[in-house]
Amino acid sequence: MHLDTFQLIDRIVDLNLDAKTITVEAQVPTTHTIFEGHFPGFPIMPGVLLTEAMAQSSGWLLLGLLKFERMPFLAIVKEAKMRGFVSPGQLLTIEAKLEHEGSGFAVTKAKGRVGKELKCSAEITFRLSPFPPDPAFRVYTDAMANKIGFPLQALPHG
């Protein structure tokens, strides 16, 4: 995870476009200034960042399913549940599945685990907009996809 740049996904473990699922890993940093205030002497990953990690995982799934032709933007977080603490140094595994796509929106369900222990879950709705036309944005997105192991070669443009 790179909290300063809000990159909360380290690598894609599995992207199954047929099953409409993704599994990612995110290594929570052992130290970071965010833990100085959340909470001194009892550092835990903020729930809002766990939710963002689930949203980013879902977003990469949607980018793959939409072949980078439309961009998912967070619209609604529903039924977000923090079920346990995620501590510095732990490996967070997030699974997301597409539940519905249509009328310019997509809905996913995501879960985060440390080992086999469920730590968080949410239903997340995204607004699907045309992919931003700026070539610099596409270069950046492709570089990020490459960094986390997104299989760009599976897409028509790659």
Side-chain angles (χ1 to χ4, degrees), residues 14-148:
D14 182 59
L15 175 64
N16 186 328
L17 298 178
D18 292 330
K20 301 177 181 174
T21 61
I22 192 169
T23 302
V24 308
E25 289 182 341
Q27 181 68 52
V28 179
T30 55
T31 59
H32 192 276
T33 56
I34 202 157
F35 299 127
E36 293 172 14
H38 203 271
F39 296 96
F42 185 64
I44 59 173
M45 192 71 181
V48 68
L49 292 180
L50 294 173
T51 302
E52 176 66 17
M54 290 187 288
Q56 287 184 19
S57 301
S58 296
W60 283 108
L61 169 63
L62 293 170
L63 281 169
L65 291 169
L66 301 168
K67 299 180 176 26
F68 287 74
E69 293 170 1
R70 290 183 286 162
M71 182 76 183
F73 290 96
L74 182 64
I76 300 169
V77 177
K78 189 174 178 181
E79 299 294 323
K81 295 180 182 169
M82 302 307 122
R83 301 167 182 273
F85 299 124
V86 177
S87 302
Q90 291 186 316
L91 180 65
L92 180 66
T93 301
I94 299 170
E95 299 169 339
K97 179 174 178 46
L98 177 67
E99 295 291 316
H100 171 77
E101 191 251 315
S103 301
F105 289 90
V107 178
T108 65
K109 286 192 177 176
K111 296 177 182 178
R113 290 181 164 69
V114 173
K116 294 187 186 283
E117 190 176 342
L118 184 63
K119 298 294 185 173
C120 56
S121 62
E123 179 178 293
I124 306 169
T125 301
F126 296 84
R127 174 79 174 111
L128 303 177
S129 298
F131 196 86
D134 185 336
F137 184 78
R138 182 53 192 251
V139 167
Y140 171 80
T141 305
D142 284 355
M144 290 304 301
N146 185 53
K147 183 176 183 178
I148 65 172

